[in-house]
Amino acid sequence: MQVIKYAFQQHGDERGQLVALEEFKDIPFKIKRVYYMYDTAQGVTRGYHAHKSLQQILICIHGSCKIRLDNGKEKKIVTLEKPYEGLYVSNVMWREMFDFSSDAVLMVLASELYDESDYIRDYDEFLKFVNSKDGVKE
Ligand code: T46
């Protein structure tokens, strides 16, 4: 499994840092939605689902957290701890977010509007979806 972690350009000067993200330039899709999570209780794991179509970039703009990615065949854990790093999470990828620091703010740039019907929240159903896609040319 290939993990795509972007290091965004930082526009730094004596005043501090600034990161600018533009769709189709820094982000490989049109950004239709932005959401973020914070005040995550210690020990909590979020996610436990995949998406049929949604693509996202996860950026831990403050603090740190870990992301477990699972494509149905392989699992990888990625740490996000820098505000200029972005993790690309493709569709058909099971994700779990955990180990949030108490000050973590995890921001997500999403390719689609919120749509509950795009979620696969059952792991066995996810594996079936992965297998049904094998051999299908996209
Ligand atoms: C994902 C990971 C990284 C909305 O009303 N609009 C939204 O855009 C979102 C994302 C959520 N919600 C509501 C739905 C639930 O009642 O907010 C509540 C919490 O959502 P959820 O339990 O899905 O949150 P996470 O942290 O498990 O997952 C979220 C995203 O839903 C998901 O797409 O990939 O973050």
Side-chain angles (χ1 to χ4, degrees):
M1 183 203 305
Q2 195 198 357
V3 171
I4 302 177
K5 199 177 185 189
Y6 294 97
F8 301 122
Q9 187 184 357
Q10 299 174 81
H11 302 274
D13 59 26
E14 62 284 353
R15 297 170 298 173
Q17 300 292 341
L18 185 153
V19 171
L21 301 175
E22 295 187 13
E23 57 193 21
F24 299 127
K25 188 173 157 206
D26 311 280
I27 304 299
F29 50 76
K30 183 168 177 58
I31 302 164
K32 288 202 183 163
R33 179 167 53 110
V34 177
Y35 61 91
Y36 48 92
M37 53 199 84
Y38 56 95
D39 278 354
T40 307
Q42 292 300 284
V44 154
T45 299
R46 303 188 64 120
Y48 294 112
H49 57 254
H51 284 278
K52 294 173 194 160
S53 307
L54 187 72
Q55 303 173 69
Q56 303 190 107
I57 299 273
L58 276 54
I59 306 170
C60 196
I61 53 175
H62 196 258
S64 64
C65 66
K66 291 186 176 143
I67 316 294
R68 183 177 296 110
L69 296 177
D70 175 353
N71 64 4
K73 298 186 169 83
E74 217 183 318
K75 297 178 192 192
K76 285 213 171 138
I77 292 177
V78 180
T79 300
L80 291 177
E81 56 191 348
K82 305 245 168 31
Y84 57 83
E85 283 177 350
L87 175 66
Y88 175 73
V89 181
S90 69
N91 61 329
V92 199
M93 182 73 76
W94 191 265
R95 79 285 317 268
E96 296 168 13
M97 302 86 80
F98 63 104
D99 243 0
F100 286 85
S101 61
S102 56
D103 57 351
V105 181
L106 179 61
M107 183 175 78
V108 182
L109 311 180
S111 66
E112 301 297 338
L113 302 179
Y114 180 70
D115 175 9
E116 184 57 38
S117 71
D118 190 62
Y119 284 72
I120 307 171
R121 294 190 181 274
D122 178 83
Y123 191 72
D124 289 336
E125 196 190 315
F126 165 67
L127 292 180
K128 277 187 205 148
F129 193 82
V130 169
N131 291 328
S132 73
K133 285 192 109 30
D134 276 353
V136 177
K137 208 168 176 228
E138 307 229 1

